[in-house]
Amino acid sequence: MDSTTVEKAYELARERYAALGVDTDKAIDRLAKIPISMHCWQGDDVGGFENPAGLTGGGILATGNYGGKARTPDELRSDARKALSLIPGRHRFNLHAIYLETDGQGVERDRIEPRHFQGWIDWAKANRLGLDFNPTFFSHPKAADGLTLSHPDASIRKFWIEHAKACRRIGEAMGKALGTPCVTNVWIPDGFKDITVDRLAPRRRLWEALDEVFAEPLDPACNLDAVESKLFGIGSETYVVGSHEFYLGYACQRRKLLCLDAGHFHPTETIADKLSSVMLYLDEVLLHVSRGIRWDSDHVVVTTDDLRAIAEEIVRGGFIERVHIGLDFFDATINRIAAWVIGMRAMSAALLAALLEPTDQLRTLELEGDFTGRLATIESLKTLPLGSVWDYYCLKQGVPVGVEWLAEVRRYEADVLAKR
Ligand code: RNT
Ligand code: ZN
C-alpha cells in the first residue's frame, strides 16, 4: 500500500473521530506503549526442548501437522523474531519451563536454573523484549496421573512444588536482567474425568502446595506470580481442582495475580465482564487472550465481539497499567508464524478500537438513562474508519499495512520453514 493513500485516509479518519471528541494521535501513542506477551508455544505446538519427542503425557493437546515447526531454540527465536517484525508495537515473549537449553544434558524440572534460560534472556535483551514465564506441569511422567500439585502422593507434590519454586527464581532472574517484572503463571491440569467423591481434599492439597511454592518472597519489580483457573479439560471433564472460585479466592487471600483465560469458562461466559469485578479486589491480573470453540479453548485470536469487549473493559476501566495482556493459543494446522501475527495484530487492533471510543459520551447517555441513545451510538461507532487509523499506526511503526505481512511470511516459509 502506498504511504500517501494511508496518510490521506488517516487525515480524514482523524477529522471524523475529532468530531466525536476523540484524539486519534493520542490513541496511537497510547497503543504503542501497551505490551502484549506473545506466547512461545504457538511456534512449536507446545513441544519444548526438554524431550526430542515433543509433547508427551497429556494435559495439553495441539492438533494439526502443518510443516516447518521450530525444532530448536534458535529456530523458535528466528520464527518469533520474524513474527514480531510484522507486528506493530513493542511486546513481550512468554516462555514455558520446557523451553530450557541444557546442551543436551537431561535436567529434571525440579532442578532447572536461570542459567538454562540465559540464551532466552540474552535474546530478549538484544531484541528489547520483556519475558514472562510458566512452570510446565504437563508432558511429564509425574503428571501422567492427571494430578500434580494436588496429587495425593506427597513425593509427587513435592517434585512439582520444587519445580514451581525453581520457576519463580527463573522468573526473578529474567525480570532482573531485563528491568521489567516477569509474570510467572501457574496453570496445572489437575482434575478427574468422572464423578468425583472428594472434591475438597485435592483443593486443600493444592492450597497448601501453593503456599509452599510462594513462601519465598520475591521482589515484585522482578517477578509477579499469577494463578490460572480452568473449567474443564480433555480428561478432566467432571472436576478441575484449580477452578475459578478456587483461584479467585487464592489470589485475593494471598495477593497474587489472577490469570483469566478467555477459553476457560462456559461458552457464553466472557472474561470481559469479570474484569470490573476482580479489579475491585486485586491489584493486577494476567489475561490469556484466546478463542474457545466448543471444547477447545485455544483457537487463534481473531477480531470477535468477545475480543473487542475485553479490550473495551481494559480501557474503559482505566486498567491498562494493571492488566498484563498475554496470548494463549496453539494451532498446528496453519503457518505458525502467521498464527502469531494474526493474533497479535487482532489484539492490538481491538485495543485501538477501544482507545478510539468516545467513552465519556456513552457514559453520559447511560447515566441519564438514555438507553436508546446508548445503543444507537454504540452501533454507529462500528462503521467508523478504524481501519484507516490502524493502517496509519502500522505505517508509523514500520510494519506492513493490511495483509501485506503475509507475503513476508510466505517468503520465509519458502526460504526457511520448507527446508526443516
Ligand atoms: C491450558 C492453559 C495454559 C496453557 C499454557 C501452555 O489450558 O490455558 O495457560 O495453554 O500454559
Ligand atoms: Zn491459558
Side-chain angles (χ1 to χ4, degrees):
M1 177 78 62
D2 94 281
S3 55
T4 349
T5 312
V6 173
E7 277 160 4
K8 267 201 241 154
Y10 177 67
E11 282 313 312
L12 293 174
R14 180 167 40 193
E15 278 174 39
R16 187 80 166 80
Y17 280 102
L20 299 171
V22 174
D23 184 336
T24 52
D25 291 328
K26 235 162 115 182
I28 59 180
D29 282 349
R30 190 72 195 88
L31 181 63
K33 297 191 189 92
I34 306 178
I36 302 168
S37 195
M38 190 170 97
H39 55 311
C40 73
W41 52 92
Q42 168 58 57
D44 74 333
D45 315 338
V46 215
F49 308 117
E50 188 182 54
N51 180 341
L55 215 61
T56 54
I60 213 149
L61 181 72
T63 47
N65 56 0
Y66 198 88
K69 83 168 163 197
R71 298 160 304 176
T72 64
D74 284 334
E75 286 182 357
L76 187 58
R77 284 191 274 264
S78 155
D79 293 359
R81 248 169 71 98
K82 178 53 66 184
L84 288 165
S85 75
L86 302 171
I87 297 161
R90 187 156 294 291
H91 300 290
R92 304 176 64 85
F93 199 62
N94 192 6
L95 285 165
H96 243 279
I98 48 173
Y99 289 78
L100 78 178
E101 292 175 272
T102 62
D103 281 326
Q105 307 285 302
V107 179
E108 252 314 342
R109 290 194 196 169
D110 55 345
R111 295 284 165 83
I112 57 173
E113 295 174 37
R115 66 191 169 93
H116 300 127
F117 293 87
Q118 197 55 49
W120 287 109
I121 294 172
D122 294 343
W123 174 78
K125 197 174 264 172
N127 290 282
R128 296 168 64 206
L129 296 164
L131 286 179
D132 295 307
F133 199 50
N134 303 260
T136 309
F137 295 96
F138 49 83
S139 306
H140 191 279
K142 286 199 162 68
D145 294 337
L147 296 170
T148 62
L149 288 177
S150 73
H151 202 290
D153 179 336
S155 70
I156 294 185
R157 276 199 317 273
K158 178 86 183 131
F159 173 82
W160 290 114
I161 289 168
E162 290 308 317
H163 173 57
K165 285 159 84 172
C167 287
R168 290 183 75 227
R169 276 178 232 124
I170 292 163
E172 182 192 39
M174 289 174 168
K176 201 176 205 161
L178 300 170
T180 168
C182 170
V183 180
T184 301
N185 176 53
V186 169
W187 173 76
I188 61 167
D190 298 33
F192 291 123
K193 181 184 179 78
D194 215 340
I195 303 169
T196 302
V197 176
D198 192 346
R199 303 177 87 98
L200 176 62
R203 289 186 172 138
R204 198 187 292 285
R205 287 195 291 267
L206 175 56
W207 188 27
E208 287 168 4
L210 289 172
D211 279 355
E212 280 190 57
V213 166
F214 299 129
E216 183 185 351
L218 298 180
D219 181 356
C222 298
N223 183 77
L224 297 167
D225 300 302
V227 286
E228 177 182 7
S229 70
K230 191 163 181 170
L231 179 64
F232 78 94
I234 305 289
S236 63
E237 290 84 358
T238 301
Y239 171 74
V240 166
V241 183
S243 61
H244 178 55
E245 292 73 14
F246 176 89
Y247 282 126
L248 178 61
Y250 192 85
C252 289
Q253 187 182 36
R254 303 296 193 221
R255 310 312 300 161
K256 297 296 168 196
L257 275 68
L258 182 70
C259 172
L260 295 169
D261 184 309
H264 287 190
F265 294 88
H266 283 284
T268 59
E269 198 177 347
T270 165
I271 62 167
D273 179 55
K274 299 183 189 302
L275 276 178
S276 48
S277 296
V278 302
M279 294 312 276
L280 292 175
Y281 299 96
L282 297 170
D283 301 323
E284 294 176 43
V285 303
L286 169 65
L287 298 186
H288 270 189
V289 181
S290 188
R291 179 165 54 103
I293 298 280
R294 303 194 188 275
W295 59 80
D296 176 61
S297 61
D298 300 286
H299 275 57
V300 178
V301 165
V302 295
T303 308
T304 57
D305 286 349
D306 201 33
L307 182 71
R308 294 282 292 257
I310 291 167
E312 282 160 8
E313 281 304 304
I314 296 172
V315 173
R316 288 176 188 163
F319 301 141
I320 294 176
E321 309 294 343
R322 294 164 60 201
V323 173
H324 301 256
I325 306 172
L327 303 188
D328 180 12
F329 52 76
F330 29 98
D331 186 338
T333 67
I334 60 173
N335 181 298
R336 295 171 183 81
I337 298 165
W340 266 327
V341 177
I342 292 166
M344 291 288 284
R345 288 177 71 120
M347 183 73 241
S348 302
L351 288 164
L352 178 62
L355 289 163
L356 291 173
E357 182 186 81
T359 311
D360 291 341
Q361 193 187 323
L362 295 175
R363 245 191 259 279
T364 305
L365 290 168
E366 185 164 279
L367 210 56
E368 288 167 352
D370 183 357
F371 305 138
T372 310
R374 179 181 63 182
L375 189 63
T377 310
I378 287 174
E379 201 51 20
S380 74
L381 296 175
K382 291 180 184 166
T383 48
L384 286 182
L386 165 67
S388 301
V389 183
W390 172 251
D391 287 348
Y392 180 75
Y393 176 64
C394 290
L395 184 74
K396 288 283 121 185
Q397 290 281 325
V399 302
V401 170
V403 76
E404 280 167 12
W405 60 264
L406 185 56
E408 185 52 34
V409 170
R410 292 215 205 277
R411 206 166 12 249
Y412 184 82
E413 180 164 48
D415 294 348
V416 180
L417 303 183
K419 299 189 176 129
R420 287 184 184 162

